[in-house]
């Protein structure tokens, strides 16, 4: 177990609040005023040049915010949007929402490059229900090859769609997993021709091999994590599944548990970004709450965002924010969305600046030692 208390701390990111775009003449409207997101964001994602938001003002709309900061939207559901998944390599957006009251979640797949009456073309609609049991959707993920979609549910079920996820006729949907604990995270891992699906609940972690008939399952651990507290690393960390509990962060291969790191604190949000592990935690002084509940929209406590380099064992950035809605990556930067509607950009510093900071961190203690001697 690697204790992070001994890790060096750096400031490898510059923080800046996103401002309103300036007017045509370089001034006028905007021009230094912080950009404000509308209230009521319940879900968001990013990719294909935009930040994507769901259910602003609870109207069932999906909103797109490009780099120009000019909002556009379309009506996706009659009532509300609950989940979004924007693919990175395709202009395909998957969503979950409701067109009628009750537990009747619908999955809709949108082709953002094709239009239908001015709106993105909806290429597929199907009910997100495991069998005939109405239950709430907890998480959604889509494979970048467009041949797999997985949906997790509060009753412990996972529904897998195999085949072209954009078309009804060319895919098959089945219940892959049934359990007793809410599913809190899903992630596809592709290594060569081998596809795995990681499934984490509040109480356990398992992997399914989807490249083999009957999808053999392997239980990896007997503890889990809360919603939004798992992610998949990139090849720099060997495509490991990362699960953040309140005491430790665990890494997993499809067939075994790997290293763990003693990062304490109640985890609320976990992401992977360009070789870094991003963790948003609750201040330890705050009162505890249900781990499954994730972040509480009504709680305005301060949040601590840490950026970890697991390979080199240092903290690349650490800062305190007001209640964090989510952390998104787009346009080469990280964007921290806070409950007050602000967007904070975290821009990674250039390599030369980082090397100078590392050199200073190594040389300064030696100079102090000589002076003290």
């Amino acid at each position: 177990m690697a204790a992070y208390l001994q890790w060096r701390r750096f400031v490898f990111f510059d923080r800046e609040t996103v401002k309103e775009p300036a007017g045509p003449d370089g001034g006028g409207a905007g021009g230094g005023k912080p950009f404000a997101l509308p209230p009521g964001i319940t879900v968001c994602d990013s990719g294909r040049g935009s930040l994507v938001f769901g259910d602003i003002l609870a109207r069932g709309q999906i909103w797109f915010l490009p780099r120009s900061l000019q909002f556009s939207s379309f009506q996706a559901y009659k009532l509300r949007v609950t989940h979004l998944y924007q693919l990175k390599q395709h202009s395909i957006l998957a969503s979950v929402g409701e067109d009628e009251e009750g537990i009747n979640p619908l999955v809709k797949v949108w082709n953002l490059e094709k239009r239908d009456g001015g709106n993105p073309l909806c290429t597929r609609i199907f009910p997100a229900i495991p069998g005939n049991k109405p239950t709430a959707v907890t998480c959604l993920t889509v494979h970048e090859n467009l041949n797999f979609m997985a949906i997790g549910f509060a009753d412990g079920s996972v529904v897998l769609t195999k085949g072209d996820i954009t078309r009804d006729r060319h895919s098959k949907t089945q219940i892959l997993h049934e359990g007793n604990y809410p599913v809190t995270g899903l992630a596809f891992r592709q290594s060569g021709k081998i596809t795995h699906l990681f499934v984490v609940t509040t109480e356990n972690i398992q992997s399914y091999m989807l490249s083999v008939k009957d999808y053999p399952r392997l239980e990896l651990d007997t503890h889990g994590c809360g919603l939004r507290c798992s992610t998949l690393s990139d090849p720099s960390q060997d495509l490991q599944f990362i699960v953040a509990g309140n005491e430790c962060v665990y890494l997993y291969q499809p067939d075994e548990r790997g290293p763990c790191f003693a990062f304490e604190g109640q985890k609320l949000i976990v992401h992977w970004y360009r070789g870094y592990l991003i963790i948003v935690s609750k201040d330890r002084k705050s009162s505890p709450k249900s781990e499954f509940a994730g972040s509480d929209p009504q709680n305005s406590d301060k949040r601590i965002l840490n950026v970890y380099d697991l390979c080199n064992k240092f903290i690349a950035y650490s800062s305190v924010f007001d209640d964090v809605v989510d952390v998104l990556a787009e346009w080469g930067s990280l964007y921290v969305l806070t409950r007050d509607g602000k967007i904070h950009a975290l821009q990674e510093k250039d390599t030369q600046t980082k090397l100078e900071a590392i050199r200073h961190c190594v040389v300064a203690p030696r100079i102090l030692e000589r002076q003290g001697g």
Side-chain angles (χ1 to χ4, degrees):
M1 182 179 295
Y4 79 103
L5 295 176
Q6 301 172 353
W7 288 18
R8 295 187 183 275
R9 291 176 176 265
F10 299 98
V11 184
F12 282 177
F13 289 78
D14 291 319
R15 173 176 171 175
E16 183 179 4
T17 301
V18 175
K19 303 292 197 302
E20 291 272 6
D25 58 352
K33 181 181 178 182
F35 181 84
L37 291 169
I41 294 173
T42 58
V43 62
C44 49
D45 202 356
S46 61
R48 310 301 291 179
S50 291
L51 307 184
V52 189
F53 305 101
D55 225 23
I56 294 175
L57 303 177
R59 293 174 179 170
Q61 293 180 321
I62 292 176
W63 296 71
F64 299 91
L65 185 68
R67 200 166 193 173
S68 64
L69 300 182
Q70 301 297 319
F71 265 118
S72 63
S73 67
F74 72 97
Q75 193 72 37
Y77 294 87
K78 295 178 182 178
L79 294 182
R80 62 187 63 89
V81 182
T82 61
H83 297 79
L84 292 172
Y85 191 94
Q86 173 67 61
L87 280 91
K88 306 303 186 245
Q89 300 174 21
H90 305 273
S91 293
I92 299 294
L93 174 68
S95 63
V96 179
E98 298 173 5
D99 280 340
E100 57 185 29
E101 292 293 351
I103 305 177
N104 298 295
L106 287 175
V107 176
K108 297 186 181 182
V109 180
W110 309 90
N111 186 327
L112 303 180
E113 292 183 340
K114 297 183 178 180
R115 315 304 290 181
D116 179 16
N119 294 332
L121 176 65
C122 183
T123 65
R124 186 179 184 190
I125 304 175
F126 65 94
I129 297 176
N132 295 317
K133 302 175 294 182
T135 181
V137 172
T138 55
C139 47
L140 167 73
T141 190
V142 183
H143 197 298
E144 285 290 340
N145 67 12
L146 299 179
N147 283 322
F148 292 102
M149 177 192 293
I151 307 165
F153 295 88
D155 71 348
S157 302
V158 174
V159 167
L160 178 72
T161 295
K162 182 179 181 181
D164 186 348
I165 62 106
T166 66
R167 299 175 181 269
D168 283 313
R169 292 184 298 173
H170 302 288
S171 62
K172 178 182 177 182
T173 299
Q174 67 183 87
I175 298 177
L176 175 71
H177 173 81
E178 291 183 292
N180 298 319
Y181 306 106
V183 178
T184 55
L186 299 164
F188 289 110
R189 180 186 192 270
Q190 189 70 40
S191 179
K193 296 183 178 180
I194 305 299
T195 305
H196 285 91
L197 174 66
F198 289 102
V199 178
V200 58
T201 72
T202 54
E203 302 296 332
N204 51 47
I205 305 163
Q206 45 244 314
S207 69
Y208 285 85
M209 183 182 289
L210 304 182
S211 307
V212 178
K213 188 178 180 180
D214 298 329
Y215 306 145
R217 179 182 70 91
L218 180 65
E219 184 166 87
L220 299 174
D221 225 328
T222 54
H223 62 78
C225 68
L227 288 169
R228 305 201 297 170
C229 289
S230 62
T231 189
L232 190 74
S233 73
D234 60 21
S236 71
Q237 197 65 37
D238 202 21
L239 296 172
Q240 295 185 87
F241 187 54
I242 301 173
V243 175
N246 288 343
E247 302 300 327
C248 293
V249 172
Y250 300 90
L251 279 62
Y252 298 89
Q253 295 283 359
D255 57 351
E256 64 180 354
R257 191 174 88 179
C260 64
F261 299 87
F263 301 158
E264 296 181 352
Q266 184 176 356
K267 316 301 189 300
L268 302 175
I269 300 170
V270 175
H271 288 296
W272 187 266
Y273 172 75
R274 292 186 173 183
Y276 294 114
L277 177 63
I278 315 297
I279 296 181
V280 177
S281 303
K282 189 174 182 180
D283 193 322
R284 296 181 187 178
K285 299 176 183 178
S286 303
S287 57
K289 65 173 183 288
S290 168
E291 186 180 16
F292 176 62
S295 54
D296 182 356
Q298 304 303 319
N299 193 336
S300 60
D301 291 343
K302 299 293 184 180
R303 308 301 190 209
I304 302 170
L305 182 145
N306 285 319
V307 180
Y308 298 98
D309 184 322
L310 300 184
C311 290
N312 298 301
K313 294 183 171 54
F314 64 77
I315 299 173
Y317 183 78
S318 183
S319 187
V320 176
F321 292 86
D322 290 327
D323 196 4
V324 176
V325 176
D326 209 340
V327 182
L328 303 177
E330 195 63 24
W331 315 310
S333 298
L334 284 170
Y335 292 89
V336 183
L337 282 56
T338 49
R339 192 66 60 185
D340 59 7
K342 293 181 181 178
I343 303 177
H344 306 269
L346 299 181
Q347 176 68 49
E348 188 173 5
K349 297 181 178 181
D350 62 76
T351 302
Q352 184 61 36
T353 302
K354 291 190 291 185
L355 288 174
E356 290 175 359
I358 293 173
R359 179 177 175 276
H360 181 268
C361 186
V362 172
V363 172
R366 294 176 181 172
I367 294 175
L368 291 174
E369 286 176 7
R370 293 195 196 104
Q371 292 175 344

